[in-house]
Amino acid sequence: VNDDAKESNIQLKETLMGHDVAITDLYSSQSDTLVSADESGNIAVWKMGDKAFNKINMIKGYNYPCSSIRLWNDYIIGGYGSGHIRFYQLSTGALEVEITAHARWINSIDIASEAALLLSASEDTYVRVWSLAVVDNKLKVEMKFSESVTDVQLQGCRFTSQQGQTFALTGYDFNEIYVFSR
Protein backbone atom coordinates (compact mmCIF):
# COMPACT_ATOMS: atom_id res chain seq x y z
CA VAL A 1 0.00 0.00 0.00
CA ASN A 2 1.33 3.40 -0.96
CA ASP A 3 0.73 5.84 1.88
CA ASP A 4 2.14 8.72 -0.19
CA ALA A 5 -1.22 9.00 -1.96
CA LYS A 6 -2.82 10.10 1.32
CA GLU A 7 -0.57 13.15 1.43
CA SER A 8 -1.99 14.54 -1.81
CA ASN A 9 -3.83 17.86 -1.87
CA ILE A 10 -6.39 16.44 -4.31
CA GLN A 11 -9.93 16.27 -3.00
CA LEU A 12 -13.46 16.17 -4.35
CA LYS A 13 -14.48 19.73 -5.16
CA GLU A 14 -18.03 19.28 -6.44
CA THR A 15 -20.49 16.85 -8.02
CA LEU A 16 -22.25 18.04 -11.16
CA MET A 17 -25.84 16.95 -11.71
CA GLY A 18 -27.24 17.58 -15.17
CA HIS A 19 -28.02 14.32 -16.99
CA ASP A 20 -31.01 12.03 -16.54
CA VAL A 21 -29.21 8.97 -17.98
CA ALA A 22 -25.67 7.58 -17.79
CA ILE A 23 -22.83 9.81 -18.96
CA THR A 24 -20.77 8.32 -21.80
CA ASP A 25 -17.91 10.81 -22.27
CA LEU A 26 -16.34 14.02 -20.95
CA TYR A 27 -14.03 16.46 -22.68
CA SER A 28 -12.35 19.75 -21.90
CA SER A 29 -9.81 21.56 -24.02
CA GLN A 30 -10.22 24.89 -22.33
CA SER A 31 -9.68 25.46 -18.64
CA ASP A 32 -13.15 26.89 -18.05
CA THR A 33 -15.28 24.69 -20.37
CA LEU A 34 -16.33 21.09 -19.88
CA VAL A 35 -18.72 19.12 -22.10
CA SER A 36 -20.45 15.87 -21.12
CA ALA A 37 -22.43 13.45 -23.29
CA ASP A 38 -24.96 10.78 -22.36
CA GLU A 39 -26.78 7.64 -23.48
CA SER A 40 -29.66 9.64 -24.95
CA GLY A 41 -27.29 11.70 -27.09
CA ASN A 42 -27.65 14.82 -24.96
CA ILE A 43 -24.62 17.07 -24.51
CA ALA A 44 -24.25 19.41 -21.54
CA VAL A 45 -21.96 22.44 -21.64
CA TRP A 46 -20.46 23.50 -18.32
CA LYS A 47 -18.54 26.72 -17.59
CA MET A 48 -16.43 27.38 -14.56
CA GLY A 49 -17.89 30.25 -12.57
CA ASP A 50 -16.35 32.02 -9.58
CA LYS A 51 -16.27 28.87 -7.46
CA ALA A 52 -18.11 26.11 -9.32
CA PHE A 53 -19.11 24.75 -12.71
CA ASN A 54 -22.46 25.95 -14.03
CA LYS A 55 -24.46 24.20 -16.74
CA ILE A 56 -25.00 26.82 -19.43
CA ASN A 57 -26.57 24.70 -22.16
CA MET A 58 -28.12 21.28 -22.76
CA ILE A 59 -28.15 20.14 -26.38
CA LYS A 60 -30.93 17.62 -26.89
CA GLY A 61 -29.94 14.32 -28.46
CA TYR A 62 -31.65 12.10 -30.99
CA ASN A 63 -32.02 9.03 -28.71
CA TYR A 64 -28.77 7.51 -29.98
CA PRO A 65 -25.91 7.58 -27.49
CA CYS A 66 -23.19 10.16 -28.02
CA SER A 67 -20.22 7.92 -27.32
CA SER A 68 -17.38 10.39 -27.91
CA ILE A 69 -17.12 14.19 -27.83
CA ARG A 70 -14.45 16.77 -28.56
CA LEU A 71 -14.12 20.55 -28.77
CA TRP A 72 -12.58 22.37 -31.71
CA ASN A 73 -12.54 26.15 -32.06
CA ASP A 74 -16.15 27.18 -31.36
CA TYR A 75 -17.64 23.73 -32.03
CA ILE A 76 -18.69 20.70 -30.03
CA ILE A 77 -18.21 17.53 -32.07
CA GLY A 78 -20.11 14.37 -31.16
CA GLY A 79 -19.73 10.83 -32.49
CA TYR A 80 -22.97 8.83 -32.16
CA GLY A 81 -24.22 5.27 -32.00
CA SER A 82 -26.13 5.93 -35.22
CA GLY A 83 -22.87 6.48 -37.14
CA HIS A 84 -23.42 10.23 -37.37
CA ILE A 85 -20.97 12.96 -36.45
CA ARG A 86 -22.66 16.20 -35.41
CA PHE A 87 -21.08 19.62 -35.06
CA TYR A 88 -22.77 22.09 -32.70
CA GLN A 89 -21.93 25.72 -32.06
CA LEU A 90 -20.39 25.90 -28.60
CA SER A 91 -21.98 29.24 -27.72
CA THR A 92 -25.57 28.48 -28.82
CA GLY A 93 -25.84 24.69 -29.11
CA ALA A 94 -27.19 25.06 -32.65
CA LEU A 95 -26.57 22.14 -35.01
CA GLU A 96 -24.15 23.39 -37.66
CA VAL A 97 -23.28 20.24 -39.64
CA GLU A 98 -24.39 16.60 -39.54
CA ILE A 99 -22.64 13.89 -41.54
CA THR A 100 -23.43 10.22 -41.97
CA ALA A 101 -19.85 9.30 -41.23
CA HIS A 102 -20.05 5.55 -40.63
CA ALA A 103 -22.41 2.62 -41.18
CA ARG A 104 -22.25 1.56 -37.51
CA TRP A 105 -21.60 2.84 -34.02
CA ILE A 106 -18.79 5.41 -33.66
CA ASN A 107 -16.68 4.40 -30.68
CA SER A 108 -14.08 7.13 -30.72
CA ILE A 109 -13.23 10.52 -32.21
CA ASP A 110 -10.20 12.76 -31.77
CA ILE A 111 -8.97 16.15 -32.96
CA ALA A 112 -5.58 17.31 -34.23
CA SER A 113 -6.39 20.95 -33.54
CA GLU A 114 -3.36 22.55 -35.22
CA ALA A 115 -4.03 20.64 -38.44
CA ALA A 116 -7.84 21.01 -38.21
CA LEU A 117 -8.31 17.25 -38.60
CA LEU A 118 -10.93 14.97 -37.08
CA LEU A 119 -10.33 11.24 -36.61
CA SER A 120 -13.19 8.73 -36.24
CA ALA A 121 -13.22 4.97 -35.54
CA SER A 122 -16.33 2.84 -35.83
CA GLU A 123 -17.68 -0.67 -35.38
CA ASP A 124 -18.02 -0.74 -39.19
CA THR A 125 -14.22 -1.45 -39.21
CA TYR A 126 -13.39 1.93 -40.77
CA VAL A 127 -11.07 4.61 -39.49
CA ARG A 128 -11.55 7.99 -41.18
CA VAL A 129 -9.79 11.34 -41.21
CA TRP A 130 -11.82 14.48 -41.91
CA SER A 131 -10.54 17.98 -42.66
CA LEU A 132 -12.29 20.88 -40.91
CA ALA A 133 -12.41 24.45 -42.16
CA VAL A 134 -14.51 27.53 -41.58
CA VAL A 135 -15.23 29.25 -44.89
CA ASP A 136 -17.41 32.38 -44.99
CA ASN A 137 -18.54 31.66 -41.41
CA LYS A 138 -19.71 28.17 -42.40
CA LEU A 139 -18.13 24.93 -41.22
CA LYS A 140 -16.88 22.70 -44.04
CA VAL A 141 -16.11 19.01 -43.36
CA GLU A 142 -14.43 16.81 -45.95
CA MET A 143 -13.29 13.18 -45.72
CA LYS A 144 -9.56 12.91 -46.48
CA PHE A 145 -8.79 9.28 -45.61
CA SER A 146 -10.75 6.05 -45.11
CA GLU A 147 -9.37 2.60 -44.39
CA SER A 148 -11.02 -0.64 -43.33
CA VAL A 149 -9.22 -2.55 -40.59
CA THR A 150 -10.64 -6.03 -41.12
CA ASP A 151 -11.52 -8.41 -38.31
CA VAL A 152 -11.15 -5.72 -35.63
CA GLN A 153 -13.98 -3.96 -33.81
CA LEU A 154 -12.34 -0.53 -33.59
CA GLN A 155 -12.58 0.89 -30.09
CA GLY A 156 -10.13 3.75 -29.64
CA CYS A 157 -8.30 6.24 -31.84
CA ARG A 158 -5.95 9.11 -31.08
CA PHE A 159 -3.77 11.49 -33.01
CA THR A 160 -0.26 11.29 -31.58
CA SER A 161 0.33 15.01 -32.16
CA GLN A 162 -1.72 18.14 -32.73
CA GLN A 163 -0.22 18.37 -36.24
CA GLY A 164 -2.08 15.19 -37.27
CA GLN A 165 0.86 13.47 -38.97
CA THR A 166 0.33 10.18 -37.13
CA PHE A 167 -2.56 8.44 -35.42
CA ALA A 168 -3.01 5.22 -33.49
CA LEU A 169 -5.99 2.93 -33.06
CA THR A 170 -6.94 -0.28 -31.35
CA GLY A 171 -9.88 -2.62 -31.11
CA TYR A 172 -12.11 -4.21 -28.53
CA ASP A 173 -10.41 -7.11 -26.72
CA PHE A 174 -7.37 -6.55 -28.93
CA ASN A 175 -3.71 -6.60 -27.84
CA GLU A 176 -2.22 -4.56 -30.68
CA ILE A 177 -2.06 -0.88 -31.58
CA TYR A 178 -2.06 0.06 -35.25
CA VAL A 179 -0.16 3.24 -36.11
CA PHE A 180 -0.84 5.14 -39.34
CA SER A 181 1.40 7.92 -40.61
CA ARG A 182 1.63 10.21 -43.61
Side-chain angles (χ1 to χ4, degrees), residues 6-124:
K6 294 179 184 177
E7 297 177 21
S8 171
N9 291 331
I10 298 173
Q11 55 188 270
L12 178 65
K13 181 178 177 181
E14 62 183 306
T15 301
L16 305 178
M17 304 293 291
H19 290 273
D20 296 328
V21 295
I23 294 170
T24 55
D25 199 13
L26 301 170
Y27 190 76
S28 179
S29 66
Q30 304 166 11
S31 61
D32 67 340
T33 304
L34 172 70
V35 290
S36 54
D38 70 28
E39 286 183 342
S40 291
N42 302 318
I43 297 173
V45 180
W46 308 84
K47 285 278 191 185
M48 177 57 104
D50 291 336
K51 296 181 180 183
F53 276 100
N54 299 304
K55 185 169 68 171
I56 61 165
N57 201 353
M58 178 62 93
I59 301 167
K60 292 296 179 193
Y62 295 88
N63 293 321
Y64 280 96
C66 180
S67 51
S68 190
I69 52 175
R70 293 292 180 268
L71 295 170
W72 177 73
N73 289 356
D74 295 324
Y75 296 97
I76 302 166
I77 306 168
Y80 288 81
S82 61
H84 291 87
I85 297 176
R86 296 186 180 103
F87 299 78
Y88 300 94
Q89 292 178 359
L90 178 60
S91 59
T92 65
L95 180 63
E96 182 81 16
V97 171
E98 177 181 47
I99 57 175
T100 306
H102 290 274
R104 308 238 356 231
W105 194 292
I106 296 172
N107 286 318
S108 186
I109 62 174
D110 197 29
I111 291 285
S113 57
E114 291 177 20
L117 294 174
L118 172 68
L119 180 64
S120 61
S122 168
E123 289 181 4
D124 65 4

